[in-house]
Each structure stands twice: as C-alpha cells, then as structure tokens.
Amino acid sequence: MLYFCPAKPQPPKKAPDLRPISSFPPSSSSSSLCLSFSLSEQSRTFSRRNLVTKDCCQMTGCRRKSPAMSALASRSMLLPLLLLIHSFPASVSAQRRGSGSASPWQTLSGNSPIVVARGGFSGLVPDSSNAAYQLTLLTSAPDVVFWCDLQLSQDAFGFCLPDVTLGNSTDISQLYPGRQSTYTVNGVRQTGWFSLDFNTTSLSTVSLMQGVYSRSPNFDSNLFPILSPDDVAALKPAGLWLNVQHDAFYSQHNLSMRSYVLAASRRFVINYISSPEVGFLRSIASRFNPKITKLFFRFNAPSDVEPSTNQTYGSLLSNLKFIKTFASGILVPKTYIWPLDASNYLQPSTTLVSDAHKAGLEVVASDFNNDAVLSYNYSYDPVTEYLQFVDNGQFSVDGVLSDFPITPSAAFNCYAHMGHNASDKVNTLVITKNGASGDYPPCTDLAYRKAISDGADVIDCPIQISQDGVPFCQSSINLIDTTQAAETLTSFSTSVPELKGDGIYTFSLNWSQIQDLTPVISTPFPSYQLVRNPKERNAGKLVSLADFLGMAKDAGALSGVLINIENAAYLMEKQGLAVLDAVETELTKAGYHNQTALKIMVQSTNSSVLMKLKDKKQYELVYAVDETIGGADPSAVSDIKNFAHSVVISKQSVFPQNDAFVTRMTDVITKLQNADLPVYVQTFSNEFASQPWDFFADINVELNTYISTTNISGVITDFPQTPNRYKKNRCLTQLDNVPPYMASVQAGSLLGLIQPPSLPPAQAPNPALTEDDVSEAPLPPVGVKPTSESPPGGGATPPGSGSGQPRGAAAGFMATVVAVFFTLLSLLLL
C-alpha cells in the first residue's frame, strides 16, 4: 500500500555541502564508479563528465560546484549521483526479435515490452528529479523510457511534476504558505498549491520532495530543482514520454498544452504522448508522425467521465476502433487486464490486450510499484507480477509504467521465457525457513509440499517435542505463537522464565492434542499491513518428524533436510525429554542413516548440542549465530571449527543497516570462509519491508547482491520459489558483461547521496563474535520427567541463550562450584 501524504512541514532549507571534484582523476579500473553531471548554461542540457573512483568520491556522492543555471534555477544547483552498482557495462541489448527468427514475445510488434520509468526512479528518490532520471539510466535496460508528467506554470513554462498541485511533491508549502488556491479539476473541488499560480521565477526556488510516506524522506534535503522536459530530454534517454493529464483544466485558465507540446517537439524528439482526454489527442494527432511519436489514450477509473466526450472510460473501452483513429496505443491501470477480487486475489484476465492488439493498438499497463500491497497470488515478489503481464502464455502487454524500473528491466531480460526446465546457473542452496511459510502456515504439510514444488534444495524442521516424547516440526516451542491454542487450551497456559514468559508450551500437551490444533500463518510485518495469503491463514496440518522425513524422502528432488534443535538443555534437564535421542531414533527408523541421497544437516544456536553430535559423521553440523554481529574474533572462529561444519548468520551481520540504509559490508563471511566454514544467510523474505532501501524494494536485487558479492553457500528463506528462480535466470551467464539491472549493489552508496542534515544518527557497530559467545557447558543429563502436578517450568535455570543455559563453559562451571560450596557450608553449620 502506498501512503500519499499531504504537504509536509520541513525544516528551514540549508544549502548542501558542495565539494569540487575537478581534482579527482578519472578512472575506469574501479569496480565501483561515480557519475557527476554539469549543466550547460547556454543549452540548458546535461553533459556527462569524467568517471571517478569510489575512493576519490569518499562516499560524498561526487559533489561538485557548478555556476550553471537551468531554465528554472537562478541558483547554483547540485545534481550528483553515485553509481550504486559494482559493474557497469557499456551497453546491454534487451531481448529483441532477431531477423528471420520467431519472437518469444506476444506483443503487437513482437519486440520485448518497453519499460517506462514514471518520473524516473521515483520509488526511491523524489519524482521527476535529476537523480531519479540518472538512477534510471544506471540501473535499468538501455531502452528505458523516461516519463514526464507535464505541468504548466503561470507564464506557460512546461515542467515535470506528478500533479497539478505541488504541495505533495515539493517544498512549496514551506516557501509560499499563503499561496493556496481552490479550483475545480474534472468536476472535483481541490485546494492546494497549483502550478498555474506560480511563474518560472517563483518555481526556481522550489525543491522536489518524496511524496509517498512509506518511502524514505532522507533525500529531500538534496534540494533537487524542478526540471523542464528540455532538461530531461538532454539526458538522452532511449525514449521520452510526456503525459498531459489535465489539458481541459489548463485550457480553462488560458494555458495551452497543445501549443507547448507542439513547440517542444521542434526542440527535441518526443517518443510518446499520453492523455486521458480525447479532445487533446485528436487536436494534435495530425501534427505528429506515428513512426516517431506515438499517441496513447490513457484510461482513468472505469466510472470516471472523460471530459471531451462525456462518456465513462468504461464505455470508451468498448470502442477501441474509435481510439485507433487518433492513437497508437492505450495506457491502462493493470487491474484493467488482471482484475482483483475484494480479497486482493487475481481474477481471470480480461480480453483487453488481445482486443486492443486486434484493433492495432499497443497496450501499456500502469500502477506498478514494488512497495505496494501486491496481489497475494504474487507472494510479494514484484518480478512475479511483471511476468504475469508478459509471460503468461496467452498475451503480453507492450510495456509497463513503473516507479522501480530496475525490476521490469530484469524481469523482461533475465527471467521471462525461462521455461520449467531451466538449469541452475549458481550453486547456492535454497534452504527453507519453516517450509514455504510465506505462503502457508509454518511447518505444516502444505508449507512443506509447496517448498518442494517451488524447488527448495533443503527443507527444514525446527524440532519441538510433545509431553509424550513425540518430536515434531514447529517454529516455536510456544504454541500461542503459531497456532490457535490460546483460543482452545487456555488451561494449559503457564509461565516458564527460562523460555521468556507465559505460553502454552509443546511439552505440556500430548501429540494427539497438538495434532488437533489449528495452525496460523506468520505475519512478520504487521505495521505495513503486509499479511500473508489470508485465504490459507489456517490451512494445513502440523507434521511429526517421522512424517517430515518420509515426505522429504519421497520428494525425489531435494538434496537434504535440516533438523533445527533448540532448547535442548531445558527440555532434557527440566522436562525429562531426551530430544536428541528422539531425533536420532526417528532418523534411524526412516532409514536416513543407511542412505546417501539426502544430506542430513543438524542446526543449533547451542554449541553444546553440536558437541554432543560431533561423532556423528553422517551429519553436517550447522552453528547458527543467534545475534547480529559486526565481526568475528579468530578465537571464536577457531572454536566453531571444533564442533561445526558450517555457520548460519543474519543478513545484517553481512550488510549492517542504519534506518533501513546499508552502511557497509562486514568481513564476517570472509573470516568464516577462510576457515573453510561454508556460510548460510537468513532470512530472505519477499516483502519489501524486509529489505533496506539499497535493494529497491526487490527481493531479487537483494538476493543477487548477497549471492554475487559474498559467494555464500546458501540462503534461508520463507519463499523458496524466489531464490530458486533467481538461480536459473539467464543473466547469470553474462559474467563478462553483467547488465546493470543484474549488478550487485554497492554497500553504503545510498548513504553517500544523503545530505548531512538528513543522515540517520550514527550507530555503534555491532559487536564481534567472541569465544565466550560460542563456548557452552556440556548438555546436562536427562532429568526426571515432571509429574502432572508439577509446574511445567520446573526449577529455575539462568536464561542465557535460547537453550535456557548460561553462555560460556566457565560460567556453568562456576555456578556449580558455588552451589556445592553453599550446600557443604550449610551441612557443616548444622
């Protein structure tokens, strides 16, 4: 969901810190580059300057002073942009129909769909800013088209801004607080700062701002000036698209969009012009060559009324032959093609695309945003959504209008038409987190079956154990977290300090009682209203370890299983449950000790568990670091090497974050890999809220950066279909000429673009992993099982790690010594 905001109060404007870069030497050898641009005062166009290395930029965004002025600016202006990717090839051609070859695309022309960047890369930086357009050039397909929402000033000067009112996308409310007006726009009364109330001189002092609350405001202090279409055209994009949204409104106030557009077409090439007004398009149709400039009729909501015909857009949709008389194509909201029901699930597609193609009209779909609540059918993966419109086997739209042009660029050129039998291009393992728990309740039969069908390499079973000793798969020892136990079994609620509080715990119920519980799907990002697959919120059944092992064995395509064991010390000592023995028994009964087809991985955050299994040569022992770390002491790495074969760390232990911006890349992976410890990273989720801004609200960009930059051995994910598809995409074979939309993101580069007043407060670095963090006392012997009258919590054990035992062997030993000492002392005193 996008949260559009009213005019935002801003602090007083402060001039940015400008640093000249004229002394920086050009370099083409660095893997991370910066681009700077300067304005030519005479031509009002931008010219590409020298490339300088990241080290020379010193993360400042390659700032430079420029005395030049644009048509809208009488002040010096800063237009820097740091290149955010590791490698930048000269050019990469999009998939196009070869001469004499059959096209895989079902577009009208047979060419790949075009990518239209709405206001540039407006999903990250302010809409229609120079930075937004530059970032589009650096990260998207070479044939990307720049979109400009054309507005007119009081003195008929054209400029690019997303709406006729400026309060939401600029700081005009701060500069001119008393200049609000009220007008009727298409029959609706609106109050705000209208463009036609300000002349060019007034607008030259206005700066662009992010107009969507759910997006970062940190770039607002960069003082990006308003741009004219001439400025945008001077960036030399592959195509320029002018959208004229309110011609009738401007005409009512003696401003002519027609005159401006015709005059502009004599200064630069306009490749596309769109408007939701029939009268405007018909008035200019004869003045443009459709081989050079294509006119698109833009559809608003079906019930809205088109002003020049007085018909609804819904009714105009049934008369495509009429639209063809003045337009080359139509621009429609994506729901015109794939409608959604009231629950946000896809309905069958309409015939709009095929009908339009029969009429000779191209179709461009709009309203694509990575950081919106997508249809639940897409599992929050924006690439999946784009492929639904271009690679569904029935039709393909001819283009898409997107706030995040990097994603459709990759979708069309890397992922489309891969086929079901595409082979892996990288060897990174896809390991599940509670099965495909992004689509079904965690650790249910449906979550595991979906994970297998989605191409997971390894499926996981977090071990819990029932009161009668049955091991089963469940993500939490507290059944309130993952089931509806709180609604049906309140009498079993108890407090266990060692397990961090009140709950209904697995060891309080028999397996037969647990089997009858209703599972609940996880919702890790509730504040963003990003619920997961609500139709299947309570679907599936909980799975015993025995059933899990049988399912994995029958799957055929898996390479292994991962058994995750936590809270072993507490369960053994306080509940009398021999959890390790129970797991061993089930593995033996399932025949896993007599086969080599499936790898057995045993994971724990407790070194004591892995030490206990050290002699089991058939296991890969995986140590999970249960905190975010910024480094790893050599002694800690050496200690891990004594009991584990591989390590799991968090994403932020690789790329630390500050206020959702990546700050740097740590050396944790390098240190572990140098000790011959393969590294798995967790947890990769599709929801944009799980990714820092640097990855453009796209899980595929995040996966690509981690895998291509760090050479990790595996990713742990609750959406296994996404990394499985990533591993197969064709762009991974282009190692010598990686396209910009498949290049890895440079850690810390976005922070380098933010002006000091808007930088997030500095944070202390995450602590390094030490030997004391890793070392633990041995597991205790299995205690006496509590009677039904005994409290489930048993005695008190100091809460160290998740196991309920203190970190560090020394701590455990000293606690025992002290206890014995006081016992002997009390006996002597008697």
Side-chain angles (χ1 to χ4, degrees), residues 445-488:
D445 56 339
L446 294 180
Y448 288 124
R449 296 189 191 284
K450 180 71 162 59
I452 293 168
S453 67
D454 284 348
D457 298 303
V458 177
I459 58 174
D460 71 309
C461 175
I463 295 295
Q464 310 300 339
I465 194 163
S466 64
Q467 189 179 58
D468 51 347
V470 177
F472 63 99
C473 306
Q474 191 50 255
S475 58
S476 174
I477 195 171
N478 187 348
L479 292 168
I480 292 177
D481 297 337
T482 56
T483 71
Q484 292 183 335
E487 300 174 17
T488 57

Side-chain angles (χ1 to χ4, degrees), residues 578-591:
V579 60
L580 269 66
D581 293 342
V583 169
E584 280 280 293
T585 298
E586 295 300 338
L587 285 167
T588 301
K589 287 167 59 177

